[in-house]
Amino acid sequence: SAVISQKPSRDICQRGTSLTIQCQVDSQVTMMFWYRQQPGQSLTLIATANQGSEATYESGFVIDKFPISRPNLTFSTLTVSNMSPEDSSIYLCSVNSGQHLYGYTFGSGTRLTVV
Amino acid sequence: SQQGEEDPQALSIQEGENATMNCSYKTSINNLQWYRQNSGRGLVHLILIRSNEREKHSGRLRVTLDTSKKSSSLLITASRAADTASYFCAFYTGANSKLTFGKGITLSVRP
């Protein structure tokens, strides 16, 4: 299965600023997924990132707040823009390299605290 | 909501005991997966069961699937302190390759 390097692992940011999270995959994958996990909660899909096209956002998430880049088949970034304390969460990227027959691989997560 | 529901929400057992966690869902699925998360880090895939399978084993893990009841269970046998983590069921419907997660179960295994 794929191996994902996600960074930063954690950050403390001032409100109103932006943070960009990076995920590097050791193999080419068509789709990358970005999730948010609010404190004590489950994972919620933010968007699906395909190479060469605009990301597809889930209900409640917009591009202006969470712009995503997918410049090639092994890399993606998620930016959390104009942050507020409510954005404090763990953000995770994920890929599926097994054509849905196997589990998804997740990055180690970025723990974001906005003060 | 298509989110899965697990129960119990929290489980505390003694090392060596078995842990059983249940998951229910609302829609038709292609497969159901279980993941473990340690201390708010990344998720680790444990086991996947397809909609045409009823039971699957992997080491100390046993998962069952009842599509008529739209439910699944994960059994961890002979638990260890290192099994302490949050466990999530997630189901894949085939639509847009998205995975939908349940709310999670916190398992504590006392040494």
Side-chain angles (χ1 to χ4, degrees):
Chain A
S1 62
V3 175
I4 302 175
S5 174
Q6 181 174 346
K7 49 185 178 181
S9 59
R10 59 176 62 226
D11 208 340
I12 301 174
C13 300
Q14 297 290 322
R15 68 176 65 200
T17 63
S18 299
L19 176 72
T20 295
I21 303 165
Q22 301 179 4
C23 277
Q24 178 75 52
V25 189
D26 69 345
S27 59
Q28 294 184 339
V29 292
T30 304
M31 286 185 282
M32 292 182 72
F33 305 91
W34 287 97
Y35 288 87
R36 180 178 72 183
Q37 186 179 25
Q38 294 176 301
Q41 301 297 313
S42 184
L43 281 74
T44 301
L45 183 64
I46 297 171
T48 302
N50 293 310
Q51 193 267 334
S53 64
E54 289 282 334
T56 302
Y57 289 82
E58 298 299 305
S59 176
F61 298 96
V62 295
I63 188 171
D64 289 346
K65 176 67 176 177
F66 298 101
I68 288 171
S69 78
R70 185 81 203 276
N72 57 54
L73 291 173
T74 63
F75 187 79
S76 180
T77 67
L78 169 76
T79 299
V80 186
S81 303
N82 188 24
M83 289 183 286
S84 66
E86 292 71 35
D87 293 320
S88 297
S89 297
I90 298 171
Y91 293 85
L92 302 110
C93 60
S94 175
V95 302
N96 182 293
S97 54
Q99 298 183 353
H100 318 304
L101 299 178
Y102 308 102
Y104 286 59
T105 302
F106 282 81
S108 55
T110 298
R111 184 181 292 271
L112 170 63
T113 302
V114 184
V115 296
Chain B
S1 168
Q2 294 184 350
Q3 191 174 48
E5 297 277 343
E6 291 106 328
D7 75 87
Q9 291 186 332
L11 183 60
S12 181
I13 59 175
Q14 198 74 35
E15 200 166 33
E17 295 179 338
N18 295 340
T20 300
M21 291 168 269
N22 303 300
C23 169
S24 62
Y25 55 92
K26 298 180 181 179
T27 188
S28 295
I29 62 171
N30 181 290
N31 64 60
L32 188 143
Q33 304 172 30
W34 285 89
Y35 289 82
R36 184 185 72 225
Q37 184 180 40
N38 290 88
S39 302
R41 302 299 293 172
L43 275 71
V44 174
H45 173 254
L46 296 176
I47 195 166
L48 178 153
I49 187 166
R50 298 182 182 84
S51 60
N52 61 353
E53 297 176 315
R54 292 297 169 259
E55 185 172 316
K56 204 165 183 179
H57 298 254
S58 177
R60 293 185 295 114
L61 305 179
R62 171 179 169 255
V63 65
T64 62
L65 179 65
D66 187 334
T67 53
S68 66
K69 296 182 180 178
K70 290 187 168 54
S71 67
S72 172
S73 68
L74 174 68
L75 169 68
I76 303 175
T77 60
S79 64
R80 306 166 181 169
D83 294 327
T84 295
S86 293
Y87 291 81
F88 295 88
C89 70
F91 50 93
Y92 175 74
T93 63
N96 300 318
S97 301
K98 292 190 291 187
L99 204 58
T100 303
F101 283 84
K103 295 180 179 179
I105 299 169
T106 300
L107 173 65
S108 297
V109 181
R110 303 186 301 275

